[in-house]
Amino acid sequence: MPGEEIIGPPDGRAVPRFAGPDTFARLPRLQDVSGADVVIAGIPFDSGVSYRPGARFGPGAVRAGSKLLRPYHPGLDANPFGARQVVDAGDIAANPFDIPEAIDSVERGAREILDGADHLIAIGGDHTIALPLLRATAARHGPVALVHFDAHLDTWDTYFGAPYTHGTPFRRAVEEGLLALDASAHAGIRGPLYAYADLTEDKELGFATVTTADVARYGTDQAIDRIRSRVGDRPVYVSVDIDVLDPAHAPGTGTPEPGGLTTRELQMILRGFTGLNLVGADVVEVAPAYDHAELTALAAANVAYEFLGLFALRAGG
């Protein structure tokens, strides 16, 4: 918003960070500003989970974990809250008993936000919500390059016959033409599968994959290079399932898989996305009932902070 004063969080040296608004990083609420460039919204929905429930409480936990964030990001030399007007829009309500209706509600809420802002960062909630978020993003930008951080592929056709779950959003997104498949990739994939066909079917859909083992063997720089060369200059949507991290770093999630990325590795890879045409993002699957010492909530809050830093750089800040 050129010419308008940017309102940020209260100064943590004047108002202690454990005080102040219960918004993400104590940012202003959407209704408290005349307009916003980047909007953070919670989506407290977990009816699509297949194992541990509880991600409906993720947005609140991530907001609590975000209170430690400060206004300058030295890793990116960016001002995540100062380059653009960033606000917290509260939560997008979704029916917990009707998944298709919930998906429609999330899509409507995301479209309404994007009608008045440049970018949306969503805090889940389970990974089912990625589908309506991609619908809203693709409606504005056309098919997007998806960079999907996760232990799991999330490209099953159905689960127990259900077409909309947290394990199916990207199969549906392919079918709906929301993705630029020649530019999309999974990162952090690992763990046991039901069959080898899980891998072959995913490859047939068109995704490239950077596994956790690839990162362990060849480092974060190669992972960054592979992803950047894959997405090119396409509009990019980044979706982070917090279970991409090892349970040692993020125990509070619905389907934990040993052998994941470290929090530092994920941060380094995300910081390697400077200059990409990032248009939207989410961080999902934080289930605070299984967390301890806020490890998972802190990690997820910092993922959102990395997104804000990338958006700030795009704005010249």
Side-chain angles (χ1 to χ4, degrees), residues 139-188:
R140 181 166 181 170
H141 298 280
V144 296
L146 172 70
V147 182
H148 167 221
F149 289 89
D150 204 321
H152 313 97
L153 297 166
D154 288 0
T155 52
W156 283 345
D157 186 19
T158 62
Y159 194 68
F160 281 84
Y164 298 107
T165 76
H166 73 161
T168 65
F170 304 121
R171 172 71 70 106
R172 302 287 88 82
V174 171
E175 294 168 349
E176 295 180 19
L178 306 178
L179 306 181
L181 284 167
D182 60 341
S184 294
H186 306 293

Side-chain angles (χ1 to χ4, degrees), residues 104-285:
D104 289 344
S105 297
V106 173
E107 181 182 354
R108 284 195 302 272
R111 283 177 180 258
E112 288 173 5
I113 288 170
L114 290 173
D115 281 344
D118 292 329
H119 306 292
L120 169 62
I121 299 172
I123 302 169
D126 75 55
H127 224 155
T128 310
I129 68 171
L131 177 61
L133 295 171
L134 284 167
R135 287 177 179 172
T137 305
R140 181 166 181 170
H141 298 280
V144 296
L146 172 70
V147 182
H148 167 221
F149 289 89
D150 204 321
H152 313 97
L153 297 166
D154 288 0
T155 52
W156 283 345
D157 186 19
T158 62
Y159 194 68
F160 281 84
Y164 298 107
T165 76
H166 73 161
T168 65
F170 304 121
R171 172 71 70 106
R172 302 287 88 82
V174 171
E175 294 168 349
E176 295 180 19
L178 306 178
L179 306 181
L181 284 167
D182 60 341
S184 294
H186 306 293
I189 303 301
R190 65 187 187 279
L193 301 168
Y194 285 109
Y196 183 70
D198 291 351
L199 297 174
T200 57
E201 290 178 6
D202 182 82
K203 189 173 182 179
E204 288 168 0
L205 290 173
F207 290 98
T209 300
V210 178
T211 67
T212 302
D214 292 334
V215 177
R217 290 191 181 103
Y218 308 116
T220 56
D221 286 348
Q222 189 195 78
I224 293 165
D225 290 344
R226 288 176 62 187
I227 294 169
R228 290 183 67 96
S229 64
R230 177 76 174 173
V231 304
D233 60 359
R234 299 287 191 107
V236 179
Y237 186 95
V238 179
S239 183
V240 176
D241 185 326
I242 205 64
D243 74 21
V244 74
L245 299 179
D246 190 275
H249 299 267
T253 191
T255 47
E257 299 282 358
L261 299 180
T262 67
T263 307
R264 180 176 60 246
E265 287 171 333
L266 179 57
Q267 288 177 319
M268 292 176 68
I269 294 171
L270 291 174
R271 290 172 193 174
F273 291 175
T274 55
L276 294 184
N277 184 17
L278 181 65
V279 296
D282 65 57
V283 55
V284 299
E285 298 283 355

Side-chain angles (χ1 to χ4, degrees), residues 45 47-49 95-105 128 162 164-165:
F45 174 83
S47 300
V49 298
N95 188 329
F97 303 109
D98 187 322
I99 294 177
E101 181 180 322
I103 289 172
D104 289 344
S105 297
T128 310
Y164 298 107
T165 76

